Amino acid sequence: MNVVVFTGGVGGAKLCDGLACSVGEEHLTIIVNTADDFELYGLHISPDLDTVMYTLAGIANPVTGWGIEGDTFNNFDMLARYGVSPWFRLGDRDLATHLLRTQLLREGMQLSAITRLLAQRLGVKARILPMTDDRVRTVVDTDEGLFHFQEYFVRLRWQPEVRSLIYEGAEEAHPNDEALRAIETADTIIIAPSNLYLSIDPILALPGMKDALLNAAAPIIAVTPIISGEAVKGPAAKLMRELGVESSAVAVAQHYADFINGFVLDQRDAALEPHIASMGIGVLVTDTLMTDRKARARLACEVVNFADRLRPEKLGGCRMDLLPPQA
Ligand code: GDP
């Protein structure tokens, strides 16, 4: 069973963790957005890659959704003594990841190879692939001007009104070859419940990525990031409204309609099922809120089984009663 997941940070990382529990990490290829990457104090920071990697390594901070559980912020306190207060806080242990990644990049190693090395050292068996080794950066065009993604998201706490999003460098970037091959040979492809504009669209903007999905033999399933018209966390719903789209699960399904076969709708939105089905998309209605590890594994299992139902040749899905006890 080869499962490919398209993801950003927190929402997608939770589903990846559930998939690791239900189908096994070694069957997972995770294609991660890197358009949120940025440089701070000369360090290369890849927030989504790290969230996915820390989550699968079991060391993610469950409260903040970013960084490492139990991390300290001595470097931040020391910077404060120098009179500097960076708007982006990096934990002391987290800093080690950025130091090593930056040094290896300077030595000429590709981001994908560095990610493989870091993940291996943390004992992660899933294949975590940055969407590209090239530089792509999300620029947010707002009523207060143009901002790089992290400035908009962290410093301005996503308050300015967004007019459009620009994925700088995407058109010239080369998508990760391993990712393209994985899509071709996948049994199931999942678009995680990640921010459609800030996490999934930058991946789809890479040349050849959308075609790879259109040509994929595997069923493609998207899991809604919108429940009852709102995002579980972050600016997805606010962005939809600002971009002139209704903030609903239907609009998410519409957004992906040209390449998905199935859509996982939250049970709180069950009334929207006929609307999505009328687009020719299969619908699974279930509880999509991943409140704990058990909920992550259950949702992952249901998504895999849903994909199996959409496939002409059944592979046999995931047995909910056989989920490991830690789930
Ligand atoms: P980011 O890069 O850290 O912002 O993370 P993502 O783009 O992966 O995830 C953010 C999106 O995930 C938001 O739109 C949330 O609504 C969605 N999300 C987070 N947790 C859950 C959950 O438990 N269930 C569902 N259905 N969506 C979720």
Side-chain angles (χ1 to χ4, degrees), residues 15-219:
L15 186 66
C16 290
D17 185 44
L19 286 163
C21 262
S22 50
V23 296
E25 262 190 89
E26 57 283 9
H27 299 293
L28 280 186
T29 299
I30 307 168
I31 305 172
V32 184
N33 169 44
T34 55
D36 296 0
D37 287 18
F38 70 115
E39 288 79 34
L40 189 68
Y41 296 107
L43 299 177
H44 181 108
I45 301 172
S46 298
D48 287 352
L49 280 174
D50 289 345
T51 297
V52 171
M53 181 172 80
Y54 293 158
T55 301
L56 291 177
I59 60 170
N61 184 330
V63 181
T64 54
W66 53 268
I68 296 175
E69 187 166 28
D71 211 349
T72 52
F73 289 84
N74 293 316
N75 77 80
F76 187 81
D77 296 341
M78 191 62 191
L79 282 168
R81 279 189 64 182
Y82 287 120
V84 179
S85 70
W87 45 265
F88 198 95
R89 285 161 59 98
L90 297 172
D92 297 325
R93 288 182 209 164
D94 191 23
L95 202 51
T97 307
H98 314 308
L99 289 171
L100 195 53
R101 174 188 292 124
T102 306
Q103 190 204 354
L104 294 172
L105 280 170
R106 296 240 164 92
E107 288 171 4
M109 204 164 162
Q110 303 271 45
L111 184 62
S112 47
I114 298 168
T115 305
R116 191 181 318 130
L117 180 104
L118 296 176
Q120 259 168 13
R121 297 277 161 92
L122 291 181
V124 175
K125 293 193 196 74
R127 192 154 57 132
I128 304 176
L129 304 176
M131 63 183 197
T132 176
D133 282 321
D134 298 327
R135 190 179 196 281
V136 179
R137 296 290 180 267
T138 297
V139 175
V140 190
D141 180 13
T142 75
D143 58 344
E144 294 177 30
L146 290 173
F147 298 104
H148 272 282
F149 172 77
Q150 294 298 344
E151 239 193 316
Y152 158 80
F153 194 76
V154 183
R155 186 169 75 80
L156 301 169
R157 299 195 171 88
W158 41 279
Q159 288 315 300
E161 195 168 311
V162 174
R163 293 193 284 232
S164 65
L165 295 155
I166 302 147
Y167 309 118
E168 209 178 69
E171 278 176 26
E172 302 82 46
H174 297 278
N176 187 313
D177 278 331
E178 251 186 282
L180 292 178
R181 277 199 304 275
I183 294 168
E184 224 176 273
T185 56
D187 297 308
T188 300
I189 300 171
I190 300 170
I191 311 294
S194 288
N195 190 306
L196 46 170
Y197 306 112
L198 297 174
S199 295
I200 304 297
D201 278 2
I203 311 179
L204 298 175
L206 297 169
M209 200 51 105
K210 199 135 172 221
D211 282 341
L213 288 179
L214 289 167
N215 295 326

